[in-house]
Amino acid sequence: MKLTRERGARPSPPPPLEANDQVVIWVGTAGWAVALVVLLIIRDSLPADQRWWIWTCVCGVAFGIFASWYVPRLKRGRARAAARRAAAGESADRDQSAPRDNGSNTVSSTDTPGRSTRS
């Protein structure tokens, strides 16, 4: 009985799913806000050593508000950088005929046949 899978062509992976970042951020922030309200209601019945959960919820709400401001700016910046790389890449592809040496002195396992990288 052969337990290993035959090495054949792997099927291509499915494309990554895109989510609406703002919905995800606001749902998470709302969850922290609900937890904060519940903890504030039962604050007097919480043991003193468990009151740090209140501040955890405050931080969750604060980070959610920050993320709703930061993530759109991050995505716009990444889109601009990708557009610049694509524009620069088109001109570089025409000029470059061989891969560039990156100056690394590391030897990969494919460069030394018969030697394993595992100890």
Side-chain angles (χ1 to χ4, degrees):
M1 181 177 192
K2 191 174 186 179
L3 297 177
T4 59
R5 189 186 326 170
E6 291 184 24
R7 295 188 187 245
R10 285 186 165 176
S12 62
L17 297 175
E18 286 294 322
N20 185 343
D21 296 327
Q22 289 296 312
V23 171
V24 172
I25 290 168
W26 284 112
V27 166
T29 305
W32 283 113
V34 168
L36 176 63
V37 169
V38 168
L39 287 174
L40 288 175
I41 291 171
I42 64 167
R43 173 183 35 199
D44 294 332
S45 65
L46 279 175
D49 63 336
Q50 294 295 316
R51 293 203 177 148
W52 61 272
W53 279 107
I54 293 172
W55 292 106
T56 302
C57 294
V58 169
C59 289
V61 170
F63 279 126
I65 292 169
F66 173 75
S68 69
W69 170 82
Y70 180 73
V71 169
R73 282 153 185 77
L74 175 72
K75 290 185 89 167
R76 282 194 300 265
R78 286 182 176 174
R80 282 192 302 267
R84 282 193 303 266
R85 277 193 310 273
E90 290 173 1
S91 62
D93 285 343
R94 285 183 247 133
D95 298 339
Q96 185 177 357
S97 60
R100 296 181 185 169
D101 180 25
N102 64 359
S104 174
N105 292 328
T106 352
V107 178
S108 73
S109 61
T110 58
D111 293 338
T112 54
R115 299 186 100 189
S116 174
T117 56
R118 295 183 185 167
S119 299

